[in-house]
Amino acid sequence: MKEQLEQVLPEEIEKRSFEMISEELGERAFSPWEEPIIKRCIHTSADFEYADSLAFSEGAVQQIIEKIVQDGVDFITDTNMGKSGVNKRALQKMNCTVSCFMADEDVAALAKENKTTRAVASMDKAAQFANNSGRAVVIAVGNAPTALVRLDELIREGKITPALVIGVPVGFVNVVAAKELIMEAPVPYIVAKGRKGGSNIAAAIVNALLYMAGGRD
């Protein structure tokens, strides 16, 4: 078996991985704006279904990259795992931030008071944050479909207008329906249709956007 192992230097592993992804995708063609995001999701998960399941609203990627380059943006994730997966050097280089409110005491208190989940309460705090931010806000949901459902309500109530929604929660209960709500909402989106997704995929998409904007050395 050892004879089958490729000898690849550590700094070349990612490059070789992307070459293998391109080889396996063969002659499939993607939009140049969408291809780096699709391939990074595949790289993160080793799941080629993302080549078919990722859905993009028209112009979503171009528009958010322009905002990242011009002023930076504030990313908000629904899990600390998603937050930790975002490349901090790229964030700093592009003058961006990433926040997660799930573990905040006021979010826990609000969830208890309203008899909701922390994911729902965290979206209420995200709306407050966005209204005070002064620049574009991107919401990246990789775990809780309830966060997407609440976000859809807030959008339709005019309480938040994200520059982009990354809707990639994973699971079974209400996951598909929550993603469909976001694809019908009047905001730009990147959504992983179906049941698949996860905090790692949400972070991968954020990283892809940062790298495309110039955030990688």
Side-chain angles (χ1 to χ4, degrees), residues 31 42-43 56 71 82 93 104 143 145 158 171 188 210 217:
S31 157
I42 294 172
H43 175 258
F56 302 79
D71 303 308
K93 184 175 180 180
D104 292 3
N143 181 67
L210 289 168
D217 296 332

Side-chain angles (χ1 to χ4, degrees), residues 30-84:
F30 305 97
S31 157
W33 291 104
E34 299 170 5
E35 183 174 355
I37 297 170
I38 292 168
K39 288 185 175 180
R40 187 152 293 278
C41 288
I42 294 172
H43 175 258
T44 297
S45 63
D47 188 342
F48 280 82
E49 285 191 17
Y50 286 107
D52 298 305
S53 66
L54 282 178
F56 302 79
S57 62
E58 186 175 354
V61 178
Q62 300 96 308
Q63 291 166 17
I64 201 61
I65 287 177
E66 286 174 6
K67 292 180 187 299
I68 292 172
V69 171
Q70 290 171 2
D71 303 308
V73 306
D74 296 317
F75 294 96
I76 299 173
T77 65
D78 69 323
T79 64
N80 280 304
M81 178 180 174
K83 176 184 174 182
S84 66

Side-chain angles (χ1 to χ4, degrees), residues 3 35 43 56 72 83 103 109 126 133 149 180 200 209:
E3 291 77 10
E35 183 174 355
H43 175 258
F56 302 79
K83 176 184 174 182
S133 169
V149 173
E180 290 176 353
N200 60 332
L209 294 171

Side-chain angles (χ1 to χ4, degrees), residues 5-154:
L5 295 175
E6 289 190 49
Q7 300 302 312
V8 185
L9 295 173
E11 62 270 22
E12 294 292 322
I13 290 175
E14 182 176 295
K15 179 182 176 183
R16 178 62 186 130
S17 295
F18 274 85
E19 289 173 351
M20 293 172 73
I21 290 168
S22 297
E23 290 166 6
E24 190 155 339
L25 287 170
E27 297 182 0
R28 292 198 59 176
F30 305 97
S31 157
W33 291 104
E34 299 170 5
E35 183 174 355
I37 297 170
I38 292 168
K39 288 185 175 180
R40 187 152 293 278
C41 288
I42 294 172
H43 175 258
T44 297
S45 63
D47 188 342
F48 280 82
E49 285 191 17
Y50 286 107
D52 298 305
S53 66
L54 282 178
F56 302 79
S57 62
E58 186 175 354
V61 178
Q62 300 96 308
Q63 291 166 17
I64 201 61
I65 287 177
E66 286 174 6
K67 292 180 187 299
I68 292 172
V69 171
Q70 290 171 2
D71 303 308
V73 306
D74 296 317
F75 294 96
I76 299 173
T77 65
D78 69 323
T79 64
N80 280 304
M81 178 180 174
K83 176 184 174 182
S84 66
V86 177
N87 187 312
K88 304 307 183 291
R89 289 181 65 183
L91 281 169
Q92 185 176 19
K93 184 175 180 180
M94 301 312 299
N95 187 33
C96 295
T97 68
V98 61
S99 302
C100 176
F101 306 129
M102 280 287 284
D104 292 3
E105 290 184 5
D106 56 342
V107 166
L110 183 63
K112 185 176 180 179
E113 178 184 344
N114 294 336
K115 295 182 172 58
T116 63
T117 65
R118 287 194 181 198
V120 168
S122 74
M123 290 298 105
D124 288 304
K125 185 166 182 176
Q128 295 174 0
F129 178 95
N131 291 327
N132 294 323
S133 169
R135 61 180 184 174
V137 170
V138 175
I139 310 291
V141 176
N143 181 67
T146 53
L148 275 191
V149 173
R150 180 57 181 153
L151 181 58
D152 176 68
E153 292 172 349
L154 291 166

Side-chain angles (χ1 to χ4, degrees), residues 37 54-57 60-61 164-168 188-192 205 209:
I37 297 170
L54 282 178
F56 302 79
S57 62
V61 178
L164 177 69
V165 176
I166 299 170
V168 294
Y189 64 78
I190 301 173
V191 166
I205 294 172
L209 294 171

